[in-house]
């Protein structure tokens, strides 16, 4: 039971990282990303390939994965940056499918659907099974804390305030002489890097990855965490992610209540429930559990024009 | 004979009153210009009369019947058709299609009214198959007026038909508006170009800071020595 | 070469009706409905139910599926999207992705994930020189072409079609001019759904019928609609033809496994080269949230 709880907490950590990243891209900047699963997969495979094929340690593979994720996200945002959110949505969704196709079909590289075994572990082997699991949870928590701290700093920094202003009205920071496009691209790339980091941590935890692990439900669950927690609010989304994982795991036990369902139908029912929950959450509480504190215009102009050259 | 009566109307956005206690009348087949400096509340007032904005207080009567708060489509059915400011034609549809579609509420009259509109604006007859998005500014205003006429109204509510037009086209568009009188249709015309509007209107109402500050015949107002001041007020 | 074009035509027949349906839904309901793939899957299973379970002929099953899918889309619109009218764009976008998963897994609950096919008589392909033409392909291209021509002509010539185009052009003005926009929205949902349902029938003839079939078509369908200029029905048909051709080329010269990824690549190239689509107007920014 303890090891089950540790495993759940660890996998919740991966989702919190994804949700923090999505919150930077969408919650703070307003850029829709339906390719969360793709960037997650990219990070996982990049990291796995770096350790298994190139023999790098995880400590090097992780930043490498982050860089790959950042580049991919930069490309995606660059493609559709000047267009409306619908375009970015379909482009990122298509990208996630392409990553999955590549993982499935480039057998020589990824071993396709059979899955790719990963032998490199970031923590020393002399820890026992239980202790290793607990230590890995600690590692993931550390990553979450670091990411949370960094994102909170960004949110409070002038960069973050400009991002939110861009989200509300792209014209305002532009009139204050800010390079709106550059801000959005940087935010999206940073989010992509964090998603890839989550993938990398995931890969070296499960030790065997296959394209099945990176399907669209990953994206949906991440979105749920952000929507339910409250877009733009990092504290809220940690709460949201915890709630979503609790529901996800809780519904696993539906099989006990509904004995007529086989595994296939049970998993279908769970996805139906998740979908309905997300739709209901958007309808009933679009601002999330913990809404974002609003920024004041004065605060923005004070930071957005540091030289004061645009002030009357 | 009064057609439109507005009594002590107040309207605004988000609890803020932009227009207060405005009363006015428009007679049958009369062209009344609604003038005033930028931000005086002209478009807000028109929106509240036309039903695209819910009035906060006051009443709107059309031919003696209360029409306060009716949406633009219902108001058109009651006899007062709104012509919005910029997006007032279906750009991807042809001129003929624009006219046909605007007869939707009363399709049996479509053919007859179309002939009337084309007689009023012969320039449109030559461009029936042209997409409305490719019309010149003046022709576009004619089409917008024609579309409103397809519902067979007694009154048109015109929101700045000359907005964004070059000076030459302003004259063309206002001439199109005066054609309405020939068709026996009254109009309440919100206008930025005061002098030009006064040359074509019968009467004018001047709004400043949400209230009526002057009212009179067009010739009288055109001759007023303080005409310039009236429209600079609030802008200075 | 001719064979390649012929195969592309077959693939386009599957994508084009749903792409036109997506465009119609986008224009009238005002957001990109990512559940369009799930609607296609609903159509495929409705066809299969009539054809495989009840033993109806395929054409009658296809007609039934179009009606059923149209009604399903209308119901989904009433239950999910109409209450969100006026909500920011992201709320509609994400709800549509969630809806897509709800529908797919409801199908899985009802029909399980096993793979099925229609009850079609085996027919020998017609051979002209070295050109092989399977009768199925003729059938699906024929049906898609007739349906699409009917819809495109209807949009041009019928009063209701004209009203749909007017409302797609400017919803606010349509309401001011007394066009019944709410009924038009419902009509667009049914028509868009019926077209997606037809795509479902045609997809079921070429692909294995399973609940995930629709999701795999989501990207090509939306890419086709965007490529043709989002909101333009003839453009969506053209976009579908181009996507299908690119898919066949990729399948022939790269690897058939990447066929589902072609839509994305084509879209990416199109966004780089011609962001307003092939037949579309430039899109004004600022619809992000």
């Amino acid at each position: 039971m303890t090891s089950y709880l540790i495993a759940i907490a660890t996998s919740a950590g991966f989702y919190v990282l994804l949700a923090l990243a999505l919150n930077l891209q969408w919650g703070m900047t307003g850029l829709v990303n339906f390719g969360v699963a793709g960037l997650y997969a990219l990070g996982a495979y990049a990291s796995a390939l770096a350790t298994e094929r190139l023999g790098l340690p995880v400590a090097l593979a992780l930043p490498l994965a982050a860089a790959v994720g950042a580049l991919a996200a930069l490309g995606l945002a660059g493609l559709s940056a000047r267009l409306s959110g619908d375009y970015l949505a379909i482009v990122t969704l298509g990208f996630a499918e392409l990553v999955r196709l590549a993982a499935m079909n480039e057998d020589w590289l990824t071993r396709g659907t059979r899955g790719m075994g990963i032998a490199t572990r970031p923590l020393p082997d002399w820890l026992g099974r239980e202790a290793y699991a607990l230590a890995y949870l600690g590692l993931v928590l550390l990553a979450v804390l670091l990411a949370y701290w960094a994102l909170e700093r960004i949110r409070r920094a002038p960069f973050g305030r400009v991002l939110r202003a861009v989200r509300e009205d792209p014209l305002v920071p532009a009139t204050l002489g800010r390079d709106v496009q550059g801000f959005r691209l940087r935010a999206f790339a940073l989010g992509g890097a964090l998603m890839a980091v989550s993938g990398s941590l995931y890969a070296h935890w499960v030790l065997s990855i296959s394209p099945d692990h990176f399907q669209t439900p990953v994206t949906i669950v991440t979105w749920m965490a952000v929507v339910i927690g409250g877009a733009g609010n990092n504290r809220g989304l940690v709460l949201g992610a915890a709630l979503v994982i609790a529901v996800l795991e809780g519904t696993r036990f539906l099989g006990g209540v509904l004995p007529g369902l086989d595994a296939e139908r049970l998993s279908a029912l769970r996805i139906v429930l998740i979908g309905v929950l997300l739709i209901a959450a958007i309808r009933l509480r679009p601002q999330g559990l913990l809404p974002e504190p609003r920024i004041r215009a004065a605060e923005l102009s004070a930071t957005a024009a540091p030289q004061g050259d645009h002030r009357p | 004979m009064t057609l439109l009566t507005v009594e002590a109307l107040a309207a605004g956005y988000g609890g803020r009153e932009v227009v207060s206690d405005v009363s006015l009348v428009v007679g049958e087949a009369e062209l009344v210009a609604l003038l005033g400096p930028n931000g005086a509340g002209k478009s807000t007032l028109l929106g509240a009369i036309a039903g695209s904005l819910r009035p906060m207080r006051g009443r709107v009567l059309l031919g003696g019947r209360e029409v306060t708060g009716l949406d633009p489509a219902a108001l058109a059915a009651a006899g007062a058709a709104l012509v919005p400011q910029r997006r007032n034609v279906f750009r991807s549809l042809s001129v003929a299609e624009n006219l046909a579609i605007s007869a939707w509420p009363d399709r049996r009259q479509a053919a007859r009214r179309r002939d009337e509109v084309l007689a009023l604006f012969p320039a449109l007859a030559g461009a029936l198959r042209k997409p409305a998005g490719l019309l010149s500014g003046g022709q576009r205003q004619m089409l917008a007026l024609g579309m409103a006429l397809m519902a067979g109204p007694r009154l048109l509510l015109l929101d700045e038909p000359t907005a964004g037009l070059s000076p030459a086209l302003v004259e063309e568009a206002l001439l199109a508006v005066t054609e309405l009188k020939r068709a026996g249709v009254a109009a309440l015309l919100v206008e930025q170009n005061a002098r030009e509007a006064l040359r074509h209107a019968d009467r004018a109402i001047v709004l400043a800071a949400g209230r009526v500050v002057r009212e009179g015949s067009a010739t009288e107002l055109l001759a007023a020595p303080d005409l310039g001041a009236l429209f600079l007020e609030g802008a200075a | 070469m001719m064979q390649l074009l012929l195969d592309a035509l077959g693939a386009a027949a599957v994508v084009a009706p749903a792409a036109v349906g997506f465009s119609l839904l986008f224009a009238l309901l005002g957001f990109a409905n990512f559940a369009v793939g799930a609607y296609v899957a609903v159509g495929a299973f409705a066809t299969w139910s009539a054809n495989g379970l009840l033993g109806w002929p395929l054409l009658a099953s296809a007609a039934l599926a179009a009606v059923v899918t149209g009604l399903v889309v209308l119901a989904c619109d009433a239950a999910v999207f109409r209450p969100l009218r006026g909500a920011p764009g992201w709320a509609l976008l994400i709800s549509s992705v969630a809806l897509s998963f709800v529908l797919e897994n409801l199908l899985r609950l009802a029909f399980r994930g096993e793979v099925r096919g229609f009850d079609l008589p085996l027919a020998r392909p017609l051979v002209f020189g070295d050109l092989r033409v399977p009768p199925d392909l003729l059938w699906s291209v024929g049906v898609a072409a007739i349906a699409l021509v009917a819809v495109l002509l209807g949009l041009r010539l019928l009063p209701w079609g004209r009203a749909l185009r007017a409302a797609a052009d400017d919803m606010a003005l349509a309401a001011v001019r007394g066009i019944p926009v709410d009924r038009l929205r419902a009509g667009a949902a049914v028509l868009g759904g019926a077209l997606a349902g037809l795509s479902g029938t045609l997809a079921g003839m070429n692909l294995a019928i399973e609940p995930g079939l629709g999701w795999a078509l989501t990207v090509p369908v939306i890419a086709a609609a965007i490529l043709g200029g989002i909101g333009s029905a003839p453009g969506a048909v053209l976009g579908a033809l181009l996507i299908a051709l690119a898919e066949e080329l990729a399948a022939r010269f790269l690897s058939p496994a990447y066929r589902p990824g072609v839509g994305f690549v084509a879209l990416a190239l199109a966004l780089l080269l011609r962001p307003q689509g092939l037949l579309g107007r430039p899109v004004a920014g600022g619809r992000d949230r």
Side-chain angles (χ1 to χ4, degrees), chain A residues 46-71:
Chain A
S47 188
L49 289 172
T51 57
E52 304 313 300
R53 297 291 159 83
L54 306 178
L56 297 179
V58 177
L60 283 180
L62 189 90
L64 189 72
V68 170
L71 276 179

Side-chain angles (χ1 to χ4, degrees), chain A residues 26-27 30 34 79 83-87 89-91 93-95 97-98 101-102 105-106 167 184 216-217 220 223 262 264-265 268-269 271-272 275-276 278-279 282-283 286, chain C residues 26 32 34 79-80 83 90-91 93-95 97-99 101-102 105-106 108-110 112-113 215 219 222 226 230 257-258 260-261 264 267-268 271-272 275 283 287-289:
Chain A
W26 175 68
F34 281 167
L79 267 183
L83 300 166
S84 81
D86 299 339
Y87 291 88
I90 186 68
V91 164
L93 183 67
F95 165 76
E97 293 288 303
L98 194 65
L101 280 177
N105 294 303
E106 297 308 313
R167 183 191 68 193
R184 303 177 104 184
T216 317
I220 300 219
W223 270 97
D262 51 40
E264 186 189 357
R265 288 202 156 118
L269 183 64
I271 299 183
V272 168
V276 170
L278 180 52
I279 291 171
I282 291 170
R283 166 101 58 89
Chain C
F26 179 85
F34 276 62
V80 178
W90 65 264
L93 211 57
I94 296 159
S95 294
V97 175
L99 174 66
F101 272 72
V102 169
N105 285 283
L106 283 176
R108 199 163 274 136
L109 267 175
R112 318 177 56 99
W215 186 245
V219 175
I222 299 182
I226 289 182
I230 199 159
Y258 280 100
F264 164 69
L267 184 62
L271 288 181
L272 274 180
V283 181
R287 274 205 60 230
D288 289 27
R289 275 180 56 135

Side-chain angles (χ1 to χ4, degrees), chain C residues 35 83 209 269 276:
Chain C
I209 302 171
L269 285 178
Q276 71 272 40

Side-chain angles (χ1 to χ4, degrees), chain C residues 4-288:
Chain C
L4 185 96
L5 288 177
L6 197 67
D7 292 343
L9 211 55
V14 175
V15 174
V20 172
F22 173 84
S23 243
L24 213 58
L25 291 174
F26 179 85
L28 268 289
L29 304 176
F31 69 100
N33 193 330
F34 276 62
V36 63
Y39 298 157
V40 172
V42 169
F45 274 90
T47 315
W48 181 83
S49 300
N51 175 256
L53 286 179
L54 305 177
W56 290 23
L58 193 57
L59 201 58
S61 309
L64 178 79
V67 172
V68 167
T69 315
L71 294 178
V72 166
V73 173
L74 184 65
C76 288
D77 188 55
V80 178
F81 301 119
R82 210 172 304 159
L84 287 176
R85 199 176 290 164
W90 65 264
L92 291 152
L93 211 57
I94 296 159
S95 294
S96 74
V97 175
L99 174 66
S100 149
F101 272 72
V102 169
L103 288 176
E104 178 180 328
N105 285 283
L106 283 176
L107 288 174
R108 199 163 274 136
L109 267 175
F111 296 94
R112 318 177 56 99
E114 70 200 40
V115 166
R116 307 145 200 275
F118 294 138
D119 180 19
L120 292 174
L122 276 177
R124 204 184 292 254
L126 313 169
V127 178
F128 304 97
D130 48 358
L131 197 64
R132 294 164 59 84
V133 186
D136 285 3
L137 187 140
L138 282 183
W139 195 91
S140 49
V141 170
V143 169
I146 290 170
L148 289 171
V149 167
V151 168
L152 295 184
L153 282 181
L155 285 174
R156 282 278 132 206
L157 303 177
L158 298 179
W160 277 96
R162 217 157 35 204
L164 272 173
R165 279 165 50 228
D169 192 323
D170 191 329
M171 188 68 74
L173 179 62
V176 166
R177 291 280 77 94
I179 298 170
V181 290
D182 282 330
R183 265 192 289 161
L184 280 180
R185 283 199 181 99
V190 172
L191 184 56
L195 285 167
L198 176 62
S199 273
T201 305
L202 302 179
M205 295 177 66
N206 295 311
L207 313 167
I209 302 171
E210 46 94 24
L213 149 146
W215 186 245
L217 282 170
T218 302
V219 175
V221 164
I222 299 182
I226 289 182
L227 216 52
I230 199 159
S232 152
V237 176
L238 187 61
L241 284 166
L242 285 175
I243 294 274
L245 190 61
E247 280 182 356
E248 291 303 325
L249 284 170
R252 183 75 51 92
F253 296 109
L254 296 170
S255 146
Y258 280 100
R259 181 189 284 269
V262 170
F264 164 69
V265 175
L267 184 62
L269 285 178
L271 288 181
L272 274 180
L273 302 176
R274 198 176 154 75
Q276 71 272 40
L278 297 170
L279 299 184
R281 299 196 292 263
V283 181
R287 274 205 60 230
D288 289 27

Side-chain angles (χ1 to χ4, degrees), chain B residues 77-215:
Chain B
L82 170 72
V83 179
Q85 191 182 112
R86 290 203 174 197
R87 303 178 56 174
N88 50 20
V89 300
F90 299 110
R91 295 162 35 112
S92 64
L93 272 62
S94 70
V95 169
E97 286 179 318
N98 267 288
L99 291 175
I101 201 76
S102 302
W104 190 278
D106 193 5
R107 266 186 278 178
R108 277 161 309 170
Q109 305 291 332
R112 185 173 61 77
R113 292 214 176 109
R114 188 180 115 130
D115 292 344
E116 288 170 7
V117 167
L118 294 181
L120 207 57
F121 303 122
L124 292 181
L128 281 175
R129 304 180 70 87
K130 213 174 183 181
L134 299 181
L135 291 178
S136 74
Q139 285 182 343
R140 211 180 121 157
Q141 288 306 330
M142 289 180 199
L143 178 58
L145 294 174
M147 287 164 70
L149 290 174
M150 291 300 283
R154 284 183 289 161
L155 170 72
L156 288 193
L157 303 167
L158 308 173
D159 193 359
E160 293 202 37
T162 64
L165 295 185
S166 68
L169 289 176
V170 166
E171 185 62 20
E172 195 181 330
L174 287 174
L175 278 173
V177 172
T178 55
E179 291 298 311
L180 293 172
K181 287 173 70 76
R182 276 210 294 147
V185 178
L188 181 61
L189 163 73
V190 166
E191 206 23 88
Q192 203 68 252
N193 298 295
R195 237 169 247 287
E196 289 77 359
L198 285 171
R199 270 202 289 275
H200 295 96
D202 299 319
R203 229 156 33 81
I205 294 161
V206 182
L207 221 58
R211 284 169 195 279
V212 177
V213 293
R214 191 67 92 73
E215 207 177 338

